[in-house]
Amino acid sequence: MNTADQYLKAIYLVQEQEDGPASTGDVADMLEVSPASANEMIGKLEEEELLNHEKYKGVDLTDEGIRRAREALQNYCIIERFLLEVLEVEEFREEAKQLEGVIDETVAERLDTIIDREPQCPDCFDAEGDVCGLLEPELEASD
Amino acid sequence: MSLQRPVGSDHQLARLLQIGVVLEEVVEARADQHAQLTDEVTDPELRDMLDEAVEESAEHRDRLESLIDELDAETVPFEEIQTLVAAQYETDRDTDGVLYDQLANEETAYKFYDDLIGAIRASDVEFGVDRDRLIETLSEIREEEADGVEDVTRLMEDRE
């Protein structure tokens, strides 16, 4: 997943959590980058018409931005599920974050062919828990 | 600003190589499945391509697994992946379906190794395996995937 898509995914999740525009600070926190870096990338994404940025209000994704963000989130879910279901990685959330920058969407799509992902993905993603909402019951059951 | 993190540890490298193993296992299981079930297996060119794909993926898998052994991580047994592949995939029985599937498999593997080599080159970590050998092995596998893409494409063009 490229850097722009990782930003779009983070903005989408912050917007979901806040139920409104995402602040640059929150986006930076989610991605563990500096606010200056986040600002710079947000400017580039605005030029590409993937979001609108209003000072003191925050960032709003455009329809195209939302489409790209949902695709990125779906790829991320695939990586999380693949790590847990196929490779049985306990720290799958942490590892998914490390790997998402190296796993391209074509690769994620191929991994998707051997995991159980529900058709409602990525709507079931729990932004606060940073995990697919449908994976949570499975995780609790395995505890 | 980049989030394109280079490979940062042996653990992460092993995990990525494991993903490579699984991708090879998918190619292997799919090609084998096609070879057994497709009505067109009597076509000698298609049959050869599927046989070669099975053989090549098994060889790639061995090479990746020997790198993983040096990093002291486990790999997923092929039988498990074969079961998952059989459970999840609907087999395309027509020739076009088989060829497109093989093409997608080879292209995906190529893309994966290309990205992985880039992420290793961007890293300054000293890995438990020799970096030159690591990159050389992955580059050789990547080239074989590129040849595979070319072979399937040629076969598709011949049929047009």
Side-chain angles (χ1 to χ4, degrees):
Chain A
M1 198 190 299
N2 65 37
T3 311
D5 287 339
Q6 282 173 269
Y7 266 89
L8 292 170
K9 175 177 115 308
I11 294 164
Y12 180 85
L13 290 174
V14 173
Q15 279 195 267
E16 290 271 294
Q17 278 174 310
E18 299 297 320
D19 200 19
S23 77
T24 311
D26 287 347
V27 174
D29 283 349
M30 185 168 272
L31 291 167
E32 295 172 9
V33 297
S34 70
S37 294
N39 253 324
E40 194 185 338
M41 182 51 114
I42 285 168
K44 284 184 185 169
L45 295 172
E46 190 167 32
E47 278 170 26
E48 291 177 42
E49 298 181 357
L50 294 167
L51 56 82
N52 296 307
H53 185 203
E54 253 186 77
K55 266 189 181 166
Y56 309 113
K57 200 174 158 204
V59 177
D60 250 327
L61 293 174
T62 61
D63 288 349
E64 177 60 13
I66 291 172
R67 193 191 62 75
R68 286 257 308 259
R70 285 175 62 82
E71 268 181 19
L73 183 56
Q74 214 166 39
N75 287 343
Y76 182 72
C77 287
I78 292 170
I79 298 170
E80 274 197 345
R81 274 192 174 265
F82 175 80
L83 287 173
L84 183 68
E85 291 178 3
V86 180
L87 300 183
E88 296 173 1
V89 176
E90 279 180 32
E91 306 293 327
F92 68 94
R93 295 183 191 87
E94 196 184 300
E95 290 205 18
K97 278 205 186 72
Q98 291 169 356
L99 297 179
E100 69 176 332
V102 189
I103 307 287
D104 175 78
E105 65 180 50
T106 53
V107 177
E109 272 172 31
R110 195 88 331 202
L111 299 178
D112 188 33
T113 58
I114 53 169
I115 57 171
D116 287 320
R117 202 163 52 89
E118 300 298 326
Q120 59 265 49
C121 179
D123 289 325
C124 46
F125 196 79
D126 169 8
E128 261 177 66
D130 192 25
V131 64
C132 165
L134 297 173
L135 268 182
E136 278 178 318
E138 286 180 34
L139 288 169
E140 279 162 23
S142 66
D143 282 345
Chain B
M1 179 202 304
S2 178
L3 296 173
Q4 213 79 29
R5 295 190 179 106
V7 182
S9 64
D10 268 13
H11 180 81
Q12 206 181 327
L13 175 62
R15 189 69 76 215
L16 285 159
L17 293 172
Q18 278 181 319
I19 292 174
V21 168
V22 174
L23 287 174
E24 296 292 350
E25 287 174 326
V26 171
V27 179
E28 198 178 337
R30 284 293 280 164
D32 188 50
Q33 205 176 24
H34 284 314
Q36 285 179 31
L37 297 174
T38 308
D39 296 335
E40 299 281 335
V41 284
T42 48
D43 177 330
E45 272 187 300
L46 183 58
R47 157 64 75 183
D48 284 351
M49 189 205 73
L50 292 171
D51 288 346
E52 275 170 32
V54 171
E55 208 176 298
E56 189 180 279
S57 294
E59 194 248 335
H60 288 175
R61 190 155 59 90
D62 284 346
R63 296 180 77 181
L64 294 173
E65 279 173 350
S66 63
L67 289 171
I68 294 171
D69 282 347
E70 289 179 49
L71 294 165
D72 197 23
E74 305 240 319
T75 54
V76 185
F78 176 58
E79 294 70 32
E80 271 182 38
I81 300 298
Q82 210 173 18
T83 311
L84 288 172
V85 169
Q88 301 284 347
Y89 261 123
E90 282 296 316
T91 302
D92 297 306
R93 286 165 190 259
D94 64 286
T95 311
D96 277 355
V98 173
L99 287 171
Y100 275 111
D101 192 52
Q102 283 307 117
L103 184 64
N105 276 331
E106 307 264 4
E107 279 177 337
T108 305
Y110 177 87
K111 177 73 182 138
F112 174 74
Y113 293 118
D114 199 47
D115 290 341
L116 179 54
I117 292 166
I120 292 168
R121 285 208 166 114
S123 166
D124 49 15
V125 167
E126 197 174 317
F127 298 115
V129 285
D130 178 70
R131 175 184 291 260
D132 290 341
R133 188 165 78 80
L134 176 67
I135 291 181
E136 196 185 309
T137 304
L138 294 173
S139 301
E140 282 170 10
I141 296 177
R142 180 184 59 180
E143 289 324 302
E144 286 178 10
E145 298 298 349
D147 291 344
V149 171
E150 223 174 280
D151 291 345
V152 182
T153 310
R154 203 176 306 121
L155 205 55
M156 287 168 110
E157 282 169 358
D158 289 349
R159 282 157 190 271
E160 277 174 2

